[in-house]
Amino acid sequence: MHHLPLNQNISGWLSQHPQPPIFPALTATIDADWVVIGAGYAGLAFARRLAQLKPAWKIAVLEAGTAYDSASGRNSGFIIGLPHNIGSSTAELKQAHAYRQLLQAGMQRLKGLVDEHRIECGWEAAGKYHCQVAAGQEKILRHYCASLEQMAEDYQLLDSDALQEKLGTRFYHKAIFTPDTVLVNPALLIAGLAATLPENVSLWYHSPALAIDYHQGVTVYTATGAVRAPKAMLATNALSGHLLPGLRRQAAMATFASLTPPLTDRQLARLPKMASWGLTPVNAIAGATLRFTEDRRFLIRQHVIPALRGTVSARQTQRAARLHHQLFRKVYPQLEEVTFSHCWSGTISVTRNGAPQWGKINNALYTAGGCNGAGISKQTIAGELLADYAVGQDNPLLAEMQALGKANWLPPSPVLDIAINGALQKERWLGKKER
């Protein structure tokens, strides 16, 4: 494998918490019935479900770093039960219903695991605000309201005065609040899922897959060991193409987040009495995702760049941190002395047509990738359903998963680089009033 995930920054999600359990690196050649590459939400869900269906099988999971410091532990901690964007055509609404069923199934599955294993991850059914900064953009929110009504979903339309009471700022012009979102500490959640795998699953940290030999099943090579198995599951999202050249249907995009220290009592006094909350922007590229956490911290996620080789530099992180400081002063001028204790990056996998890359690649290889956002709930159910599909286990949600379609082919670099940068520039221009 030519490229490995690398973030030259440190996530702040664990700064107030003890170190999660560490698993050893693979240092030998072992045999297994399946090998899973990647200990994110899809990889762990696949391994867990496969282990439950086939308790006599041995499943090996390889992770390049640790589960909690991978992209799965670096996101903003939204477990979303509704699609972000819903089209108006019959086909788009049908697909939105399929997405909703899948997202809610993923959320319910995670809730069951959190309760069963008593995973302390700050699980809170807080809902979500979908916010618009600039006046004159009501068309986007009206369209979303109409779509929610067609899907019989509850929502509230809030104006600036109501948002000031809920969010402590008049930065936002209007918002739609939907109740079907859970907020968590994602690093604690994925660490808890990794620590509670069935006994027939072995998890190996700091064991990146460097190459796969497809002779007589698969042999996956790491720096200090190897796994031989009849079949493998790729849970490496946009970097999967480096393990199987030609698997070019996903691209990696990096997003950046910054987190403040816990606010002091004096700083809190400048805000209305607020419960913890999360908001998403109407323009996901130009706008910012914000959270006020249960431990009195603000999180901002803004700034999206291509990360086609999986690497984010310290210089790129520094630029994102400056943008976050500027935005925070606009949103909360009464907290101008508040700084960020951490700024970090994480990657998401995007596809050209919004469909996932999911299913059987060849006789020995399966994959679940192309999350396109909403990755916690979506990738959890995608991984679990892939295990059912791989062993022929009937599940009514398989039809919903397959109804999402297949990801379109992407061109190679430099054509892909030019196309992605052009698309990002267009979205930033269209959403310039939302910054």
Side-chain angles (χ1 to χ4, degrees):
M1 184 174 182
H2 301 296
H3 305 296
L4 296 172
L6 173 65
N7 296 278
Q8 289 188 325
N9 46 59
I10 298 172
S11 167
W13 279 123
L14 295 177
S15 62
Q16 307 288 317
H17 301 278
Q19 174 76 42
I22 293 286
F23 293 89
L26 181 65
T27 58
T29 297
I30 64 172
D31 293 306
D33 294 287
W34 273 83
V35 55
V36 179
I37 304 172
Y41 294 105
L44 293 183
F46 178 88
R48 186 186 300 274
R49 178 62 173 164
L50 192 64
Q52 292 168 341
L53 293 171
K54 301 292 182 179
W57 285 5
K58 296 179 180 178
I59 297 110
V61 182
L62 301 175
E63 168 56 43
T66 66
Y68 52 83
D69 198 37
S70 68
S72 294
R74 288 172 166 260
N75 64 48
S76 299
F78 287 69
I79 304 180
I80 292 173
L82 282 172
H84 281 299
N85 299 299
I86 303 168
S88 57
S89 71
T90 301
E92 287 171 325
L93 285 170
K94 183 178 179 180
Q95 189 177 69
H97 280 287
Y99 263 126
R100 177 175 62 176
Q101 283 189 267
L102 292 166
L103 292 172
Q104 292 180 350
M107 182 186 294
Q108 291 165 8
R109 180 60 174 149
L110 287 165
K111 176 59 173 170
L113 292 170
V114 166
D115 289 346
E116 177 186 356
H117 298 291
R118 299 181 181 179
I119 298 173
E120 297 293 336
C121 61
W123 185 282
E124 186 179 10
K128 175 174 69 73
Y129 299 88
H130 197 56
C131 292
Q132 166 194 325
V133 174
Q137 301 290 317
E138 284 84 355
K139 182 179 179 181
I140 299 172
L141 291 186
R142 282 200 305 270
H143 176 71
Y144 192 38
C145 287
S147 299
L148 291 170
E149 289 168 4
Q150 285 183 280
M151 297 179 71
E153 288 289 344
D154 292 334
Y155 73 91
Q156 291 177 277
L157 186 61
L158 303 172
D159 62 14
S160 178
D161 290 338
L163 290 171
Q164 198 280 330
E165 289 298 315
K166 299 288 187 181
L167 310 179
T169 177
R170 292 191 179 277
F171 186 71
Y172 298 100
H173 178 66
K174 283 187 179 178
I176 293 172
F177 175 79
T178 50
D180 203 6
T181 293
V182 170
L183 301 176
V184 296
N185 181 313
L188 292 178
L189 174 60
I190 195 70
L193 295 172
T196 57
L197 290 167
E199 290 185 0
N200 55 328
V201 180
S202 299
L203 175 56
W204 307 95
Y205 278 173
H206 303 295
S207 301
L210 302 177
I212 303 179
D213 183 342
Y214 293 95
H215 180 65
Q216 294 183 341
V218 297
T219 302
V220 182
Y221 294 97
T222 71
T224 55
V227 182
R228 294 186 296 241
K231 295 183 179 181
M233 185 272 196
L234 285 183
T236 47
N237 274 305
L239 296 182
S240 299
H242 301 295
L243 286 169
L244 184 67
L247 198 65
R248 191 182 295 120
R249 296 178 185 273
Q250 305 175 69
M253 308 294 288
T255 65
F256 295 83
S258 290
L259 191 64
T260 71
L263 296 191
T264 65
D265 290 341
R266 182 174 295 181
Q267 291 164 342
L268 279 176
R270 301 175 211 162
L271 299 167
K273 290 184 178 180
M274 303 186 304
S276 51
W277 52 258
L279 72 83
T280 55
V282 294
N283 184 300
I285 301 300
T289 295
L290 271 78
R291 278 187 62 181
F292 181 64
T293 67
E294 61 178 0
D295 57 357
R296 302 162 42 149
R297 297 191 285 178
F298 278 105
L299 174 136
I300 288 182
R301 189 187 74 186
Q302 185 196 39
H303 192 47
V304 181
I305 62 170
L308 302 182
R309 292 157 188 81
T311 300
V312 176
S313 70
R315 186 178 296 276
Q316 289 169 320
T317 304
Q318 182 188 39
R319 181 169 187 269
R322 287 200 306 269
L323 294 173
H324 293 168
H325 276 285
Q326 292 169 9
L327 177 63
F328 189 76
R329 292 190 187 101
K330 288 182 183 178
V331 181
Y332 292 102
Q334 70 271 45
L335 298 173
E336 62 178 347
E337 82 281 11
V338 173
T339 59
F340 293 108
S341 56
H342 296 80
C343 181
W344 69 91
S345 55
T347 53
I348 60 172
S349 172
V350 298
T351 62
R352 187 175 175 182
N353 60 341
Q357 181 159 18
W358 182 94
K360 184 177 180 179
I361 303 300
N362 57 41
N363 288 334
L365 192 63
Y366 291 71
T367 191
C371 66
N372 293 287
I376 298 180
S377 49
K378 188 185 296 182
Q379 290 302 89
T380 294
I381 197 62
E384 184 167 307
L385 289 174
L386 186 65
D388 287 341
Y389 175 74
V391 301
Q393 176 72 31
D394 186 42
N395 189 317
L397 284 176
L398 281 171
E400 305 292 353
M401 191 72 209
Q402 291 166 327
L404 301 182
K406 295 183 178 180
N408 289 343
W409 178 84
L410 290 173
S413 294
V415 176
L416 179 60
D417 306 63
I418 295 170
I420 288 176
N421 278 304
L424 288 175
Q425 290 298 330
K426 178 182 177 181
E427 286 298 318
R428 288 171 186 147
W429 184 83
L430 291 172
K432 58 184 180 294
K433 294 182 179 179
E434 294 297 307
R435 289 182 282 180

